[in-house]
Amino acid sequence: MAKLRVGVVSPEREIWSGEADMVIAKTVDGEIGIMPQHAPVLGVLVEGGVLRVKREGEGDLVAAVHGGFISVADDEVSVLAEVAELGSEVDVAAARDALDRAQASIEANQEDADAAIEAKRARARLRAAGEEV
């Protein structure tokens, strides 16, 4: 069966690269699922999204992805994230604390755009870590 070559990078580092059967990402146009032989596409990733890389015989690779782009061409998927973190690397307690602080800021000021972004990022980190949000 054909495989995808996948690379997930951020400005700080290469997050992950390898072969996969399917990649699922959330773009500004909605959720997209990429399988081998997918048509070429370029998408803008949402802030606070979760990327899922499905691999046969292994568990899914899950990452919190905050903005960036996804590019697909010739069975190659490139995820160029502004910020990304593997679910296995998430400090759950810190993410919960960040979410609590952001929600408190939002309650105090509904117009606090920075707190809204921080809340999205914290929720994505928790979802990537497999936690209930």
Side-chain angles (χ1 to χ4, degrees):
M1 181 173 160
K3 298 280 187 184
L4 297 168
R5 291 177 310 282
V6 181
V8 181
V9 297
S10 73
E12 293 83 33
R13 66 187 176 113
E14 179 180 65
I15 307 299
W16 183 84
S17 67
E19 289 191 337
D21 299 300
M22 183 176 192
V23 175
I24 302 168
K26 181 118 186 217
T27 70
V28 295
D29 294 321
E31 195 167 68
I32 185 169
I34 309 293
M35 295 180 70
Q37 300 179 357
H38 195 284
V41 67
L42 178 64
V44 178
L45 298 169
V46 298
E47 182 70 39
V50 174
L51 174 76
R52 186 171 302 276
V53 178
K54 297 193 167 282
R55 304 172 293 170
E56 186 177 316
E58 298 181 54
D60 291 357
L61 179 94
V62 184
V65 178
H66 312 295
F69 299 92
I70 184 168
S71 170
V72 180
D74 299 323
D75 287 340
E76 189 162 324
V77 179
S78 297
V79 177
L80 311 167
E82 291 176 21
V83 178
E85 183 177 13
L86 292 175
S88 60
E89 298 173 345
V90 171
D91 180 337
V92 173
R96 285 209 183 279
D97 186 50
L99 179 57
D100 291 343
R101 282 193 319 273
Q103 287 175 327
S105 292
I106 292 168
E107 288 173 15
N109 177 5
Q110 294 292 321
E111 303 298 317
D112 190 342
D114 290 337
I117 290 170
E118 183 58 33
K120 282 183 184 180
R121 287 184 173 199
R123 283 188 192 100
R125 292 178 71 220
L126 290 167
R127 285 194 315 271
E131 297 288 316
E132 294 260 341
V133 182

